[in-house]
Amino acid sequence: MESDELRGIQAPLKARYREDAASAVVTLHAEGELGADVTCSVETGRALVEAGLHPASGGDGTFACSGDMLLQALVACAGVTLTSVATNRGIALAGGTVRAEGDLDFRGTMGVDREAPVGFRAIRLTFALRTDVDQDTIDQLIATTERYCVVLQTITNGPPITVAVESRDA
C-alpha cells in the first residue's frame, strides 16, 4: 500500500473522530467457551484457537498458551503499527521481523510461592528492520510505533479491569 492510499483511507476517519469524539470509541470483544482437558476455545475472527496449559504448568503442548498469545498480539500490533507509520511517512522498508519475549516465573502461576509474581516479570520487544534509512529516522519510527501500538500501550499502562460473574443455568 502506498502512503497516499493509506492517508486517503484514514483521512475521513480522522476527520470524523475530530468532529465527533464519541464515534472513535469502539468496544472490541472476545469470548471463549470452556472445554475439556483444561481448555478454553476462543474465536479469533479468522480461526478457532483452543488455549490450554503451558507445559511448564502441566500442559502437553498441544494447545495454545495464553501467555504466548499475549506476546503474539503484541508482535502483531507492533508490526501493523510500524508498517502503518512507515507507509504514512513514506519510509521504505524492505522487510523485517518483530519479536517479543517474556519471562514468567511459574512458581507464582502454580501457587508454589506466594511471593513469586504471577504474570510476566519482563517483556522485550525487538524490531529487526531491513531498510536504508538513517538511524534518526528509525528512532523516530520506533518511538511513534511505541506511542500508537494499542497492545503495547495497554500492557504498559495497565487500564482498569473489572471482573464480573454472570449466573447461568447449567
Side-chain angles (χ1 to χ4, degrees):
M1 180 177 290
E2 296 296 321
S3 176
D4 291 341
E5 183 181 358
L6 182 57
R7 285 184 182 156
I9 292 169
Q10 291 180 339
L13 296 170
K14 288 181 178 184
R16 182 175 51 170
Y17 300 158
R18 283 185 189 101
E19 292 173 20
D20 178 15
S23 70
V25 178
V26 177
T27 300
L28 305 179
H29 68 277
E31 185 170 297
E33 186 70 29
L34 303 179
D37 300 324
V38 192
T39 63
C40 182
S41 297
V42 178
E43 178 59 53
T44 67
R46 298 286 181 257
L48 184 68
V49 175
E50 198 167 15
L53 294 172
H54 186 278
S57 61
D60 63 7
T62 59
F63 300 108
C65 165
S66 54
D68 289 333
M69 292 168 68
L70 176 70
L71 295 177
Q72 292 158 0
L74 176 58
V75 165
C77 188
V80 168
T81 303
L82 181 126
T83 57
S84 176
V85 171
T87 299
N88 270 306
R89 292 186 179 176
I91 299 170
L93 296 176
T97 59
V98 183
R99 183 178 64 251
E101 300 173 323
D103 303 324
L104 284 169
D105 183 342
F106 277 88
R107 294 175 305 154
T109 301
M110 299 288 293
V112 172
D113 181 349
R114 293 184 81 60
E115 300 300 315
V118 176
F120 288 100
R121 59 166 50 165
I123 295 176
R124 293 168 298 284
L125 183 62
T126 305
F127 297 90
L129 304 178
R130 291 191 302 278
T131 184
D132 293 331
V133 299
D134 61 82
Q135 189 60 48
D136 186 52
T137 302
I138 292 171
D139 292 344
Q140 291 174 19
L141 176 62
I142 297 302
T144 306
T145 298
E146 288 181 65
R147 168 72 177 94
Y148 294 110
C149 176
V150 170
V151 175
L152 177 60
Q153 287 299 317
T154 301
I155 292 170
T156 301
N157 295 312
I161 297 176
T162 59
V163 177
V165 176
E166 296 177 355
S167 297
R168 296 184 181 167
D169 293 333

